[in-house]
Amino acid sequence: MTEIETIAETGSTNSDLIERVQSGENIAEGFWLHAERQLGGRGRLGRKWESPAGNLYCSTIANWRDGDPPAHSLSFVTALAVADTLKRSLFPSTPIMLKWPNDALVDGAKIAGILLERTGDAVIVGVGINVCHAPELAGRRTTSILYENSKHGGNPGLVLSLLAEAFEARLARWRDAGLAATLDDWMALAHPIGTQLVISKGDDSELSGEFAGANEDGALVLRLANGAMRTIHAGDVAMIA
């Protein structure tokens, strides 16, 4: 059952939910915390997530259970839910692509991002979707739902209702059909096999090669220039045009 709590402003919806869980509050799956504006929004690797009013900033909880696929693979569940949401918010011909591990792109421009954080068995799933605005990101193109589909009306609440519905369905599939089915769905929307990628590691080093898919755990498989295969579990991915 979906429950949405909307607040006018906060630092970060992810941080708020983490604090509430750690304080002992029992938050059921299906609960979403929605902020009309964030003052301290963040993305992966500690990046600041620009949060002007009019975009969607929200977080939910997935309570990891014995027998569930690995908790980190909820990033694929969330990415697919975002893609489902975008398909219902944009024109049918709009090209939507998922970039490993957590970005949604429209015609190569970033439109959404995902941040997963874990406390105990609770996985906090944060989602930001550009509904009305496309904040500037250094070196990257961005877009918004309203820019791509002016008929949408720019309603973050509507987008959230679609996202909550899609996430519930994708979470159930992840549990019932297993991770392999979710990865198959994700691969159908991912950058094609053979796409040239550059992986930036946390130590400022880079690795380049061709996208060769994802392994059974969801790690990125990169084919290097010498033909060797490298498994990537973490890093920032850029596609080379």
Side-chain angles (χ1 to χ4, degrees), residues 52-70:
N55 287 347
L56 177 61
Y57 318 107
C58 59
S59 299
T60 191
I61 286 181
N63 292 309
W64 190 85
R65 311 168 184 170
D66 287 340
D68 279 349

Side-chain angles (χ1 to χ4, degrees), residues 44-117:
R44 291 183 65 251
L45 306 178
R47 293 191 183 94
K48 183 179 180 181
W49 183 267
E50 296 294 337
S51 306
N55 287 347
L56 177 61
Y57 318 107
C58 59
S59 299
T60 191
I61 286 181
N63 292 309
W64 190 85
R65 311 168 184 170
D66 287 340
D68 279 349
H72 73 265
S73 63
L74 284 164
S75 62
F76 299 100
V77 172
T78 313
L80 286 165
V82 169
D84 294 340
T85 301
L86 293 173
K87 288 177 182 178
R88 295 178 65 183
S89 303
L90 301 174
F91 294 119
S93 60
T94 304
I96 298 168
M97 178 185 292
L98 298 178
K99 182 169 74 70
W100 191 94
N102 66 347
D103 283 352
L105 311 178
V106 168
D107 198 22
K110 182 169 180 174
I111 196 169
I114 296 161
L115 178 64
L116 266 59
E117 298 179 284

Side-chain angles (χ1 to χ4, degrees), residues 1-198:
M1 179 178 176
T2 299
E3 177 187 355
I4 297 173
E5 178 183 325
T6 298
I7 55 179
E9 186 175 276
T10 191
S12 158
T13 55
N14 260 32
S15 295
D16 288 354
L17 281 191
I18 290 171
E19 182 177 341
R20 288 166 68 165
V21 170
Q22 291 179 345
S23 71
E25 184 174 346
N26 183 20
I27 301 177
E29 291 183 351
F31 175 84
W32 289 81
L33 181 62
H34 167 217
E36 295 176 348
R37 186 166 177 263
Q38 288 189 137
L39 301 179
R42 62 189 189 280
R44 291 183 65 251
L45 306 178
R47 293 191 183 94
K48 183 179 180 181
W49 183 267
E50 296 294 337
S51 306
N55 287 347
L56 177 61
Y57 318 107
C58 59
S59 299
T60 191
I61 286 181
N63 292 309
W64 190 85
R65 311 168 184 170
D66 287 340
D68 279 349
H72 73 265
S73 63
L74 284 164
S75 62
F76 299 100
V77 172
T78 313
L80 286 165
V82 169
D84 294 340
T85 301
L86 293 173
K87 288 177 182 178
R88 295 178 65 183
S89 303
L90 301 174
F91 294 119
S93 60
T94 304
I96 298 168
M97 178 185 292
L98 298 178
K99 182 169 74 70
W100 191 94
N102 66 347
D103 283 352
L105 311 178
V106 168
D107 198 22
K110 182 169 180 174
I111 196 169
I114 296 161
L115 178 64
L116 266 59
E117 298 179 284
R118 184 171 180 176
T119 177
D121 287 335
V123 181
I124 312 302
V125 178
V127 178
I129 299 178
N130 295 340
V131 179
C132 294
H133 311 287
E136 292 185 5
L137 292 177
R140 299 190 60 181
R141 292 192 298 118
T142 59
T143 190
S144 68
I145 290 174
L146 192 58
Y147 178 82
E148 300 291 338
N149 178 12
S150 59
K151 295 181 180 180
H152 178 271
N155 186 334
L158 172 59
V159 176
L160 176 52
S161 67
L162 297 176
L163 176 63
E165 179 182 335
F167 185 81
E168 181 180 6
R170 289 293 183 178
L171 184 63
R173 177 166 169 76
W174 176 77
R175 286 185 168 133
D176 296 342
L179 178 55
T182 290
L183 289 175
D184 285 346
D185 293 345
W186 182 85
M187 280 294 300
L189 288 171
H191 27 70
I193 298 293
T195 299
Q196 291 289 331
L197 303 177
V198 174

